[in-house]
Amino acid sequence: MQGFLGAVGGIASQSGFVGLAQNPGYLIMIILACVLIYLAIVKQFEPLLLLPIGFGMLLANLPFGEIIHMDLFLTETGHPDFLKVFEQGGLADMLYLGVKLGIYPPLIFLGIGTMTDFGPLISNPKSLLLGAAAQLGIFTTYFGAKMLGFTGQEAASIGIIGGADGPTAIYVTSKLAPHLLGAIAVAAYSYMALVPVIQPPIMRALTTKAQRSIVMQQLRPVSRTEKIVFPILCTIVICLIIPSAVPLVGMLMLGNLMKESGVVERINKTAGNELMNIITIFLGISVGCTTSADTFFNLQTGYIIVLGLIAFCFGTAGGVIFGRIMCWATHGKVNPLIGAAGVSAVPMAARVAQKVGQKENPQNFLLMHAMGPNVAGVIGSAVAAGILITLLK
Amino acid sequence: MYPTPFSAVASAIVMLENEPGIATVFLSGISIVFAVLVLLYLLITLEGVIFKSIDEKKKGASAPAQPKQQPKAAAPVKAPAPQIQKGIPGEVIAAIVAAITASEGSGKFSIRSIKRAKTGRSAWGSAGVSSNTEPF
């Protein structure tokens, strides 16, 4: 009888409820995780990532679960205690290694490259300038974050949210400010899902009705040879200038080359489908697990949410303003709305540009023209990531 | 909010000794992004121009070859007048000939006859076909 009571008592004292009583923050995080899961499933906010992230958040905030030990990664010296991770690590610790070692984001970029068509960009290279202008959001947010008291590395990681590129944000944050990874990832993917809500008011405020109605010239057809030369040329040029961009830009362009060459159909299909899906699952779970009550629940996270919104707004504004400059310079041949697509949430931002343009002029099909700046933005944010890592490592 | 030895440790990690100034990062960041993408823009535009000139050279080579062949073939063979079924308007004939020319390319051909084809499909059959092809 004593043994039975002792055993039950022992189990009760090790249950998660004790942990919840000790630290009610866990309970709030569990509720927040359920909200994220609701947003992913019901509102369809980037479900491919927000669902695993939300669930990872749930798993990490069930006390005594031991699925992840962030203290092994965020040590005083800054170097993760890999030996202890291998000896004592839980499931999410092992999966998180792929994030920490910078493996997952470049491989996701490989998959993204196989799904990207650089044709509209090659036939209208001016789009590259719009892709550059939209990265203004990254650097203005860096400024804002520094003003709020973040260190340079933290500010850079928060700023890269403005690149509107999940893998880029995770890559930079895991290298520069890993303790902010959970908050930044949640903010980045949530705002990417909110692009159709955030962008149109800014686009309308910064353009005139006449400019929004501009119909652009048909794009010239791009030959297969050009589409094969492009990724090779980009990789060589960008990576010679900014070596720290090699993993991201290199993988993106490799994926694209695999698609355009047409001779490696098997591995092209795998990279874009099976590999992407596997890495997305691992990435989502492990990033979600980094958001436990102690790392997530503070003023910093609140600031990150606000700064993330500022990043997207300034990125959109930068792209549209430069679009107006280009419109003026080409005597009205460029519709400034496509500048907003430089915020590289592919293809959402291009679709938003299409919709806003169609409201003014139902015959206007800007989608293909907007895809140019959209994919240029992916390149632009990868370059910006490389610059920030070089300056602040 | 909650006692966070975590954030104390975490911020200890990220304190850089020689952190570049805010303005430095802002200005150099934006200018380098622009510089790299402008360079790419120039290279891609150059590449586009090179490919266009290669294309034009090819067209120039094949164009003089074509007109030489045309005058030779035009001289002989006048085909008999085509037999057109009654009731087909002239515009339809013109459209048919244009469609054949567009799809056959540079081949020479002459129309022998144009007849209305039997559809050979009952109402049920047509309904079946359209319901199967509807998703496309």
Side-chain angles (χ1 to χ4, degrees), chain A residues 128-129 132-133 135 139 237-238 240-245 379-380 382-391, chain B residues 24-40:
Chain A
L128 281 163
L129 306 175
Q135 308 313 318
F139 296 101
V237 170
I238 296 176
L240 281 177
I241 300 178
I242 307 180
S244 46
I379 302 178
V383 171
I387 295 172
L388 287 173
I389 292 178
T390 310
L391 286 175
Chain B
T24 313
V25 174
F26 186 93
L27 290 171
S28 51
I30 295 209
S31 35
I32 299 178
V33 169
F34 258 100
V36 172
L37 289 178
V38 163
L39 177 62
L40 272 178

Side-chain angles (χ1 to χ4, degrees), chain B residues 3 9-10 13 27-28 54 62 68 76 84 87 91 93 103:
Chain B
V9 164
I13 308 168
L27 290 171
S28 51
I54 293 179
S62 55
K68 281 188 199 155
I84 313 280
E91 292 93 357
I93 301 171
S103 59

Side-chain angles (χ1 to χ4, degrees), chain B residues 66-86:
Chain B
Q66 283 246 345
K68 281 188 199 155
Q69 292 172 2
Q70 298 286 36
K72 280 192 197 161
V77 189
K78 241 206 153 203
Q83 293 173 320
I84 313 280
Q85 193 182 34
K86 271 190 221 169

Side-chain angles (χ1 to χ4, degrees), chain B residues 6 33 122 125 135:
Chain B
F6 238 171
V33 169
S122 68

Side-chain angles (χ1 to χ4, degrees), chain A residues 2 9 57 82 84-86 100 116 120 123 136 138 159 167 193 211 216-217 252 254 272 287 289 305:
Chain A
Q2 285 288 13
M57 186 188 280
F82 286 117
K84 277 224 184 98
V85 169
F86 286 132
K100 190 66 198 160
T116 305
S123 64
L136 181 73
I138 299 179
Q211 289 170 334
M216 292 178 65
Q217 214 178 15
L252 177 71
L254 172 62
V287 166
C289 284
I305 307 279

